């Protein structure tokens, strides 16, 4: 176990157990949110449901330890069709009502004692084996799925981050798609959702020049986020108001009392975790207070981005623990490949070899003396997640 003054890592089995527990919560919430994504559903209402569900599912976890903080690590977002990310509208902003055949990306996250698990999944409203997904929608979703599967198999010690960047680009091109330019996947640390090590996808010339390459090391944790477009892969801001923000490490003496009160509430309630302006009792005052904070870089916005209106964007995100001999995927739902119809076949030998690498989904027995599972409902229970382990020697 690491010394008390060292940063806690997955070398400590207690930390692994916390990750597995919060991963189980996130998967359960994602499954519930996906079920809510049906024709006629309000995106705002489903996002509110997702955030509330996270709190409910976390409530029994480690409840005997009153000092343990837990909650939303990334507010529920539902981005539809050409909307790339971060759509989670305020009560005062326009909502979106889901329609048949909409491409829906659900993105959310939770934390337990600051250990973060995030996930994203793409579905098509109304799709089934009798009503298969075809065309650009199928290509974008299949490209995103297989790119995320390849990324999982490359996320292992001693590999460089650009191996994943290049593989995502290759899978996308097979399907005639493009990764969203400049999107980053971050290393996760306790109480930090945007660690210093990052994996970039589809960097432009300047991004490739400025972005640092990293090497994966044992006991690191990553949020691997794959976003693929049927179009040119360039995100643009429109007039959709930002609702999600995160506290930065910058300091500044704010002038407005409203801004000071807003920042104090952010610091006390959400610390470094992203939050939605919906969480504030007085949304109008929150919208006023956030402006001065953004202007002085005390909080950073998560912009709502869009592709061209005629295009579709798919997203798959998972949380993975990089261990010395395997990588453990703790978040993500099964992919329903049978409902997609596409003539494209992956023939690239390198990509095929990676996809054929076995992923162990068997739960491993606990060894004597291993850390106990988190306390749930007053009892010690196993976290229950289906973890996917990739042999790092493969």
């Amino acid at each position: 176990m690491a010394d008390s003054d060292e940063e806690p890592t997955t070398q400590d089995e207690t930390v692994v157990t916390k990750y597995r527990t919060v991963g189980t919560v996130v998967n359960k919430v994602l499954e519930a949110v996906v079920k809510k994504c049906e024709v006629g559903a309000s995106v705002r209402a489903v996002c509110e449901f997702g955030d509330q569900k996270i709190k409910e599912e976390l409530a029994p976890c480690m409840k005997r330890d009153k000092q343990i903080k837990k909650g939303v690590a990334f507010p529920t977002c539902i981005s539809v069709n050409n909307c790339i990310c971060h759509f989670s509208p305020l009560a005062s902003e326009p909502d979106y009502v889901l329609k048949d055949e909409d491409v829906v990306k659900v993105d959310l996250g939770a934390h337990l004692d600051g250990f973060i698990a995030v996930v994203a999944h793409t579905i098509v409203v109304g799709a089934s084996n009798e009503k298969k997904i075809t065309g650009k929608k199928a290509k974008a979703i299949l490209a995103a799925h297989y790119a995320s599967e390849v990324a999982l198999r490359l996320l292992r010690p001693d590999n460089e981050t650009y191996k994943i960047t290049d593989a995502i680009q290759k899978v996308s091109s097979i399907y005639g798609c493009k990764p969203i330019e400049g999107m980053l996947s971050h290393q996760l640390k306790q109480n930090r959702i945007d660690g210093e090590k990052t994996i970039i996808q589809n960097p432009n010339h300047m991004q490739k020049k400025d972005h640092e390459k990293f090497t994966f090391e044992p006991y690191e944790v990553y949020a691997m986020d794959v976003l693929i477009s049927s179009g040119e892969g360039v995100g643009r801001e429109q007039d959709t108001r930002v609702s999600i923000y995160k506290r930065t490490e910058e300091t500044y003496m704010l002038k407005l009392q409203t801004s000071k009160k807003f920042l104090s509430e952010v610091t006390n309630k959400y610390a470094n975790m992203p939050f939605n302006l919906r969480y504030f009792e007085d949304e109008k005052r929150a919208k006023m207070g956030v402006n001065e904070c953004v202007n002085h870089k005390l909080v950073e916005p998560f912009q709502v981005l869009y592709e061209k209106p005629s295009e579709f964007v798919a997203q798959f995100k998972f949380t993975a623990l990089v261990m010395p001999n395997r990588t453990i995927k703790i978040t993500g739902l099964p992919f329903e490949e049978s409902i997609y119809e596409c003539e494209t076949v992956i023939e690239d030998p390198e990509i095929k070899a990676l996809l054929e690498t076995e992923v162990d989904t068997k739960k491993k027995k606990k060894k004597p003396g291993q850390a106990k599972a988190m306390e749930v409902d007053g009892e010690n229970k196993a976290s229950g997640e289906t973890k996917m382990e990739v042999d790092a020697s493969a």
Side-chain angles (χ1 to χ4, degrees), residues 5-23:
D5 59 342
E6 290 183 357
E7 189 174 79
T9 72
T10 53
Q11 192 166 7
D12 180 349
E13 185 60 31
T14 303
V15 172
V16 174
T17 305
K18 288 176 182 177
Y19 270 119
R20 288 175 171 169
T21 302
V22 74

Side-chain angles (χ1 to χ4, degrees), residues 221-252:
V221 181
Y222 286 87
M224 188 65 232
D225 194 5
V226 176
L227 287 131
I228 305 294
S229 168
S230 62
E232 61 185 27
V234 179
R236 304 166 179 82
E237 293 179 39
Q238 293 186 0
D239 57 358
T240 304
R241 186 183 181 95
V242 174
S243 62
I244 299 172
Y245 297 84
K246 185 182 76 68
R247 181 75 166 93
T248 69
E249 296 178 356
E250 297 291 327
T251 57
Y252 177 80

Side-chain angles (χ1 to χ4, degrees), residues 71-100:
V72 175
F74 197 82
T76 306
C77 298
I78 296 178
S79 306
V80 182
N81 296 329
N82 68 312
C83 182
I84 297 170
C85 56
H86 307 149
F87 187 76
S88 189
L90 304 175
S92 58
E93 300 296 325
D95 195 3
Y96 182 89
V97 176
L98 295 179
K99 301 187 294 294
D100 193 36

Side-chain angles (χ1 to χ4, degrees), residues 101-338:
E101 299 185 358
D102 274 343
V103 176
V104 177
K105 297 170 287 295
V106 179
D107 188 3
L108 56 89
H111 77 91
L112 179 62
D113 194 24
F115 297 104
I116 299 164
V118 290
V119 72
H121 191 79
T122 300
I123 64 162
V124 176
V125 177
S128 67
N129 281 311
E130 291 72 41
K131 189 179 176 184
K132 292 184 184 286
I133 303 150
T134 61
K136 290 197 294 187
K137 292 177 184 178
K139 287 187 176 184
I141 296 170
L142 287 168
H145 165 66
Y146 286 121
S148 69
E149 289 295 307
V150 168
L152 171 62
R153 288 154 173 80
L154 291 172
L155 194 60
R156 61 195 195 193
D158 299 325
N159 271 353
E160 283 194 348
T161 51
Y162 265 81
K163 261 189 125 170
I164 292 180
T165 301
D166 295 341
I168 291 173
Q169 197 78 30
K170 186 179 282 189
V171 173
S172 300
S173 65
I174 290 170
Y175 284 91
C177 296
K178 291 279 185 69
I180 298 298
E181 183 180 277
M183 282 291 178
L184 296 175
S185 296
H186 286 271
Q187 181 183 9
L188 299 174
K189 294 189 174 184
Q190 188 179 28
N191 298 312
R192 187 171 180 187
I193 201 168
D194 55 351
E196 59 269 21
K197 287 188 176 183
T198 58
I199 305 155
I200 194 169
Q201 63 170 43
N202 193 17
N204 60 33
H205 178 71
M206 287 304 297
Q207 289 166 344
K208 191 172 285 189
K209 184 179 176 182
D210 296 339
H211 185 260
E212 189 177 348
K213 292 181 180 179
F214 299 97
T215 301
F216 301 119
E217 297 177 36
Y219 307 116
E220 293 179 335
V221 181
Y222 286 87
M224 188 65 232
D225 194 5
V226 176
L227 287 131
I228 305 294
S229 168
S230 62
E232 61 185 27
V234 179
R236 304 166 179 82
E237 293 179 39
Q238 293 186 0
D239 57 358
T240 304
R241 186 183 181 95
V242 174
S243 62
I244 299 172
Y245 297 84
K246 185 182 76 68
R247 181 75 166 93
T248 69
E249 296 178 356
E250 297 291 327
T251 57
Y252 177 80
M253 292 297 292
L254 293 164
K255 304 292 191 293
L256 302 175
Q257 195 63 35
T258 304
S259 305
K260 291 177 182 178
K261 187 177 178 182
F262 171 81
L263 189 65
S264 175
E265 188 170 347
V266 167
T267 304
N268 291 329
K269 285 188 176 181
Y270 310 112
N272 298 322
M273 300 294 175
F275 59 89
N276 195 308
L277 291 185
R278 272 202 314 270
Y279 300 167
F280 293 79
E281 189 174 341
D282 190 331
E283 185 185 297
K284 187 176 179 181
R285 282 187 172 276
K287 286 162 78 172
M288 290 170 58
V290 77
N291 287 334
E292 188 182 7
C293 293
V294 170
N295 290 340
H296 296 286
K297 297 182 171 58
L298 299 180
V299 298
E300 61 178 304
F302 287 78
Q303 302 290 351
V304 184
L305 300 177
Y306 292 85
E307 243 286 11
K308 290 181 178 178
S310 59
E311 304 300 344
F312 300 98
V313 177
Q315 178 186 24
F316 290 95
K317 181 196 295 184
F318 60 84
T319 303
L321 318 183
V322 180
M323 306 302 275
N325 298 311
R326 68 192 194 278
T327 297
I328 308 172
K329 178 183 176 184
I330 61 168
T331 63
L333 295 182
F335 182 70
E336 294 184 80
E337 192 171 356
S338 64

